[in-house]
């Protein structure tokens, strides 16, 4: 017999899916035209390993920008019998992350890399239907065309480029009993995040404006983004940018920065020559006033030539490189070791240790759970080191497929392997030459590559794939892992000689639940995410934060606060009503653990039953901010019981 939770999930899913009956019906009709039958077996054959490697290489840019967003999304749904899936534009799975228990079920229906999930192959399903409709799709339980997939609930959103072409799909699939109405919103937000990242990577040699009518939304998913050539000609805009500009892409192609925002490009350039440029105050072509922040990511001389051609009066303007140096220096000040000092004794000890070895050519190993800020610390170490003006190159050894990590690290020559780019590619190690190489999740590096990395570190020479020439390289090395490398050595998964080569200074970042500076951290995150810090959390929320286990640590806290800011809107105080449901569910699950620990302590001290009951109620009241009704619901008793046990409370 299904539980109440199962029935509630099923009811919610049905209600949610009722909003899209036409999409499902149309998709079923297409499935029939493909010659599929509900009971017929589907083609579950994955691509060969070599073909999958080529597929990932062809989608290298998508893969690189999607994986961090997938990891963030997975942290929000971990332990819910779900998985996160990335596909290419045709629906072939490129990368997956998921709970181990569900991955076993997923493998039975081939939810794995290299398998096609287009409608032509699998019938109605969220991935294939999102591609066919070019819009988000939720396909729940028996809405799947093939009977074999009825146990699934899937939420997918297409990832599009600046021209509106589908370049991939982001999907969350899970057991249909685990349906949650907020999953689709998370998927759509994550897809939009990936689109914005792809947009930024596409227009690197350009003026890129981030704008919105409300300044606090700049830097969030709500902002509009528009890119212009060095001379000010319109190139492209993201979805929100097109919406705010209110013109179709074809019409925008005849516009310039000046005609759209009422400001000459020369004035924009002058603005960013000042020591501390603030937000731009612009008037759009339609009379709407917006705030903006521009990025001048331009090749040396490109802006000078273009602007001199159009505006001879600015021929003596400094080179863009000077502006880039100013921006880089500003960013370093905001992300140095000093910025990380928030009063926690454990962290202070870590920062003191790394400060002593700066510039000493001593490798640093950062230990810590996922989400504790290992890359943030690595970036801060680089920014405070003598190499600060040189590259900082980060490589996540766990997120790059094993078939690609060798070429990613060491680079390759033209023709080194089938599908290799013409003229080859420079590897991450050479990209970091003169600067800092950060190897995140080093414990997940394939064993076969560990010997080659050790050789590079010892000889300080890199030999790209397909080449017989070795290139000198000089990098400062920082590694990070959430694994116990000694245990991995004992199991034969990590080389002992490499471990001792990396094992210079070892520091461990404390998890968020052990930090004493939670309130300071929350204030810093709010200040960063809201561009000025006008938001604050209520005392009630701060109490809940202190009781939470934070399995995702700072990554989880940052995402939670980012969402809360959007939910709060014009309100400045963030309260319970702005918290997502899954956080409140986690708090409810955490409560028995706190109560159990408190009960054991009181038993040891000889407390009687009445005293223990009162203690549990008081703890729950504190967790719910003194709300008697919420406390009663959490404990499964009536409000009168609370008043009877604690007579000092007033009705």
């Amino acid at each position: 017999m299904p539980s109440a939770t199962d029935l509630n999930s099923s009811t919610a899913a049905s209600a949610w899916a009722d909003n899209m009956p036409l999409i499902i019906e149309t998709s079923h009709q297409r499935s029939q035209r493909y010659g599929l039958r509900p009971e017929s077996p589907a083609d579950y054959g994955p691509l060969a390993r070599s073909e999958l490697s080529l597929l990932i290489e062809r989608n290298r840019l998508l893969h690189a920008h999607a994986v961090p967003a997938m990891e963030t999304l997975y942290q929000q749904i971990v332990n819910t019998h779900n998985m996160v899936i990335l596909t290419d534009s045709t629906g072939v799975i490129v990368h997956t992350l998921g709970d181990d228990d569900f991955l076993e079920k997923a493998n039975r229906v081939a939810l794995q890399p290299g398998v096609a999930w287009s409608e032509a192959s699998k019938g109605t399903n969220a991935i294939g239907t999102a591609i066919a409709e070019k819009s988000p799709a939720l396909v729940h339980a028996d809405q799947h065309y093939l009977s074999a997939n009825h146990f699934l609930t899937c939420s997918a959103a297409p990832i599009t480029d600046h021209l509106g072409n589908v370049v991939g799909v982001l999907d969350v699939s899970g057991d249909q009993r685990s349906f949650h109405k907020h999953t689709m919103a998370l998927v759509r937000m994550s897809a939009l995040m990936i689109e914005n990242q792809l947009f930024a990577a596409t227009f690197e040699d350009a003026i890129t404006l981030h704008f919105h009518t409300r300044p606090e939304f700049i830097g969030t998913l709500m902002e509009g983004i528009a890119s212009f050539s060095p001379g000010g000609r319109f190139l492209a805009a993201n979805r929100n940018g097109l919406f705010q500009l209110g013109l179709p892409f074809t019409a925008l192609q005849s516009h310039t920065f000046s005609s759209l925002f009422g400001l000459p490009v020369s004035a924009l350039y002058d603005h960013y020559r000042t020591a501390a440029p603030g937000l731009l105050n612009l008037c759009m072509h339609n009379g709407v006033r917006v705030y903006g922040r521009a990025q001048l990511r331009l090749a040396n001389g490109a802006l000078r030539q273009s602007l001199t051609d159009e505006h001879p009066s600015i021929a003596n303007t400094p080179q863009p490189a000077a502006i880039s140096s100013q921006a880089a220096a500003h960013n370093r000040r905001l992300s140095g070791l000093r910025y990380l000092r928030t009063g926690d004794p454990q962290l202070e000890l870590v920062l003191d240790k790394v400060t002593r070895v700066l510039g000493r050519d001593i490798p640093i190993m950062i230990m810590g759970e996922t989400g504790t800020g290992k890359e943030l610390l690595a970036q801060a170490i680089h920014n405070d080191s003598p190499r600060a003006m040189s590259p900082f190159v980060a490589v996540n050894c766990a997120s790059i497929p094993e078939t690609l990590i060798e070429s990613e690290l060491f680079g390759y020559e033209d023709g080194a392997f089938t599908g290799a780019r013409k003229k080859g590619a420079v590897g991450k190690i050479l990209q970091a030459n003169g600067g800092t190489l950060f190897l995140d999740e080093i414990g997940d590096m394939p064993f076969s590559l560990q010997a080659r990395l050790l050789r590079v570190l010892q000889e300080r020479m890199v030999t790209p794939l397909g080449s017989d020439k070795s290139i000198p390289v000089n990098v400062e090395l920082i590694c990070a892992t959430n694994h116990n490398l000694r245990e991995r050595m004992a199991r034969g998964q990590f080389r002992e000689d490499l471990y001792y080569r990396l094992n210079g200074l070892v520091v461990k970042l404390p998890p968020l639940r052990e930090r004493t500076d939670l309130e300071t951290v929350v204030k810093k995150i709010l200040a960063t995410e809201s561009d000025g810090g006008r938001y604050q959390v209520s005392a009630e929320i701060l109490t809940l934060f202190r009781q939470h286990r934070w399995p995702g640590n700072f990554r989880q806290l940052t995402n939670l606060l980012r969402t809360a800011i959007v939910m709060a809107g014009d309100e400045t105080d963030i309260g319970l009503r702005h918290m997502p449901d899954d956080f409140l569910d986690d708090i409810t699950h955490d409560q028995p653990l706190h109560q159990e620990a408190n009960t054991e302590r009181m038993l040891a001290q000889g407390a009687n039953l009445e005293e223990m009951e009162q203690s549990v109620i008081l703890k729950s009241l504190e967790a719910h901010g003194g709300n008697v009704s919420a406390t009663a619901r959490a404990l499964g008793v009536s409000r009168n019981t609370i008043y009877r046990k604690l007579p000092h409370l007033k009705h």
Side-chain angles (χ1 to χ4, degrees):
M1 180 175 179
S3 68
T5 302
D6 293 339
L7 290 175
N8 289 338
S9 296
S10 178
T11 302
S14 299
W16 183 268
D18 283 344
N19 294 325
M20 302 194 304
L22 185 58
I23 290 179
I24 301 299
E25 182 181 343
T26 305
S27 176
H28 276 234
Q29 292 171 359
R30 285 195 297 266
S31 302
Q32 291 173 353
R33 289 198 295 271
Y34 289 133
L36 298 173
R37 295 290 177 269
E39 66 282 355
S40 63
D43 177 14
Y44 290 162
L47 295 175
R49 187 185 180 113
S50 59
E51 293 176 312
L52 178 58
S53 296
L54 286 175
L55 176 72
I56 296 172
E57 174 63 26
R58 284 197 299 269
N59 291 274
R60 177 186 287 265
L61 192 63
L62 171 67
H63 186 273
H65 290 289
V67 167
M70 292 176 70
E71 291 174 346
T72 300
L73 176 57
Y74 177 59
Q75 288 298 325
Q76 297 177 71
I77 62 169
V78 68
N79 297 327
T80 59
H81 309 292
N82 280 282
M83 66 188 298
V84 184
I85 298 168
L86 175 71
T87 80
D88 71 353
S89 59
T90 66
V92 179
I93 297 177
V94 176
H95 188 62
T96 63
L97 290 170
D99 296 337
D100 292 339
D101 57 347
F102 181 72
L103 285 176
E104 293 181 10
K105 294 182 180 179
N107 286 336
R108 292 204 294 267
V109 292
L111 274 170
Q112 58 190 17
V115 178
W117 276 76
S118 62
E119 284 188 338
S121 173
K122 302 292 188 294
T124 302
N125 72 90
I127 294 169
T129 303
I131 293 173
E133 297 287 342
K134 290 190 176 181
S135 66
L138 165 65
V139 180
H140 179 72
D142 58 6
Q143 291 180 339
H144 288 88
Y145 189 75
L146 296 183
S147 303
N149 297 330
H150 285 184
F151 76 98
L152 294 170
T153 184
C154 308
S155 303
I159 301 166
T160 59
D161 63 15
H162 64 282
L163 297 174
N165 301 315
V166 175
V167 296
V169 174
L170 185 67
D171 170 85
V172 169
S173 292
D175 189 303
Q176 56 101 354
R177 293 169 296 180
S178 68
F179 171 83
H180 199 291
K181 63 182 180 180
H182 295 306
T183 302
M184 177 59 86
L186 292 173
V187 172
R188 294 179 69 171
M189 288 174 62
S190 300
L192 184 56
M193 188 184 307
I194 296 169
E195 287 182 3
N196 287 350
Q197 292 288 332
L198 288 172
F199 185 94
T202 302
F203 298 98
E204 292 186 335
D205 185 17
I207 299 170
T208 299
L209 180 71
H210 301 253
F211 62 99
H212 199 280
T213 55
R214 293 169 58 178
E216 65 268 24
F217 284 165
I218 295 175
T220 73
L221 291 177
M222 315 305 186
E223 71 178 356
I225 307 176
S227 286
F228 301 84
S229 72
R233 179 174 53 84
F234 174 82
L235 296 175
N238 72 343
R239 289 194 198 194
N240 286 336
L242 291 173
F243 175 77
Q244 291 189 60
L245 289 168
L247 292 172
F249 180 78
T250 51
L252 287 168
Q253 287 180 301
S254 62
H255 277 274
T256 64
F257 182 88
S258 178
S259 66
L260 288 173
F261 293 99
L263 186 73
V265 176
S266 57
L268 174 71
Y269 195 55
D270 286 340
H271 176 77
Y272 283 97
R273 280 196 301 163
T274 60
L279 288 179
L280 295 158
N281 194 329
L282 304 167
C283 183
M284 292 201 298
H285 65 97
N286 53 12
V288 176
R289 300 205 72 86
V290 295
Y291 295 89
R293 178 184 292 118
Q295 292 176 298
L296 310 179
R297 297 179 298 177
L298 305 165
N300 287 339
L303 185 63
R304 169 183 291 275
Q305 184 61 46
S306 301
L307 294 186
T308 301
D309 291 344
E310 292 185 21
H311 309 280
S313 63
I314 62 167
N316 295 322
T317 303
Q319 290 287 344
I323 297 238
S324 299
S325 303
Q326 280 185 1
H330 180 65
N331 288 336
R332 284 195 300 276
R333 285 197 299 272
L334 291 179
S335 55
L337 294 169
R338 189 171 165 188
Y339 176 77
L340 300 181
R341 294 187 184 275
T342 50
D344 179 77
Q346 295 181 79
L347 183 61
E348 288 292 327
L349 186 59
V350 169
L351 298 179
D352 287 343
K353 287 180 178 178
V354 298
T355 300
R356 293 175 190 172
V357 300
L358 288 177
R360 301 293 184 90
D361 197 24
I362 295 175
I364 298 173
M365 174 75 73
I366 306 172
M367 315 286 285
E369 296 177 6
T370 298
T372 49
K374 296 189 287 292
E375 182 168 355
L376 186 64
L377 175 59
Q379 179 75 68
I381 293 170
H382 169 78
N383 290 345
D384 280 0
S385 77
R387 297 173 181 255
M389 297 301 293
S390 299
F392 173 85
V393 178
V395 181
N396 189 316
C397 300
S399 67
I400 304 174
E402 185 173 344
T403 52
L404 289 181
I405 192 169
E406 187 174 15
S407 60
E408 189 81 9
L409 276 176
F410 304 103
Y412 55 85
E413 293 287 334
D414 184 12
F417 53 87
T418 303
R421 295 174 180 169
K422 290 184 178 180
K423 299 183 180 179
V426 178
K428 297 292 188 183
I429 297 176
L430 281 175
Q431 289 176 31
N433 193 21
T436 302
L437 177 67
F438 174 55
L439 296 178
D440 197 8
E441 303 302 344
I442 185 68
D444 292 299
M445 174 171 280
F447 191 86
S448 58
L449 290 186
Q450 293 175 22
R452 188 165 180 197
L453 175 63
L454 177 62
R455 235 179 2 258
V456 170
L457 298 178
Q458 289 175 337
E459 299 171 5
R460 295 182 180 263
M461 303 284 285
V462 173
T463 306
L465 294 177
S467 174
D468 56 359
K469 296 180 181 178
S470 295
I471 305 169
V473 65
N474 175 18
V475 297
E476 192 82 8
L477 187 66
I478 304 176
C479 298
T481 182
N482 60 359
H483 292 298
N484 185 320
L485 293 185
R486 289 185 180 274
E487 290 180 2
R488 293 182 80 80
M489 281 195 298
R491 295 196 297 265
Q493 296 172 326
F494 202 84
R495 293 180 63 99
E496 185 174 358
D497 47 5
L498 177 59
Y499 173 80
Y500 288 112
R501 179 63 181 80
L502 302 175
N503 197 35
L505 172 67
V506 179
V507 294
K508 184 175 182 180
L509 286 175
L512 183 55
R513 62 184 172 275
E514 295 178 10
R515 296 270 294 252
T516 61
D517 56 350
L518 180 60
E519 185 172 358
T520 304
V521 168
V522 168
K523 288 179 179 177
K524 284 206 170 196
I525 294 174
L526 288 174
T528 302
E529 294 298 329
S530 61
D531 194 22
R534 69 186 187 90
Y535 293 94
Q536 60 182 11
V537 297
S538 65
E540 174 187 21
I541 291 296
L542 201 56
T543 298
L544 293 180
F545 280 2
R546 289 194 176 104
Q547 294 176 351
H548 192 36
R549 294 177 297 111
W550 297 111
N553 290 296
F554 294 94
R555 186 178 295 135
Q556 181 185 4
L557 175 61
T558 301
N559 288 330
L560 181 71
L561 291 174
R562 187 180 294 146
T563 303
I565 288 171
V566 175
M567 297 299 292
D570 290 330
E571 299 176 62
T572 56
D573 288 333
I574 293 174
L576 265 179
R577 61 191 176 282
H578 304 127
M579 293 291 107
D581 291 349
D582 56 345
F583 172 75
L584 299 177
D585 290 341
D586 287 345
I587 288 295
T588 303
H589 292 148
D590 286 348
Q591 193 63 33
L593 299 177
H594 292 292
Q595 292 171 358
E596 182 178 347
N598 188 52
T599 299
E600 290 177 356
R601 186 169 61 253
M602 293 186 70
L603 282 173
Q605 295 171 352
N608 60 39
L609 182 59
E610 183 177 352
E611 290 171 334
M612 290 169 60
E613 285 180 338
Q614 289 180 344
S615 174
V616 169
I617 294 171
L618 285 170
K619 286 287 185 183
S620 188
L621 270 171
E622 181 183 358
H624 291 88
N627 187 315
V628 175
S629 297
T631 300
R633 284 195 299 272
L635 297 177
V637 298
S638 68
R639 293 169 76 250
N640 287 334
T641 300
I642 302 292
Y643 291 126
R644 188 171 66 253
K645 298 291 183 181
L646 299 176
H648 66 278
L649 292 178
K650 296 181 180 180
H651 286 259

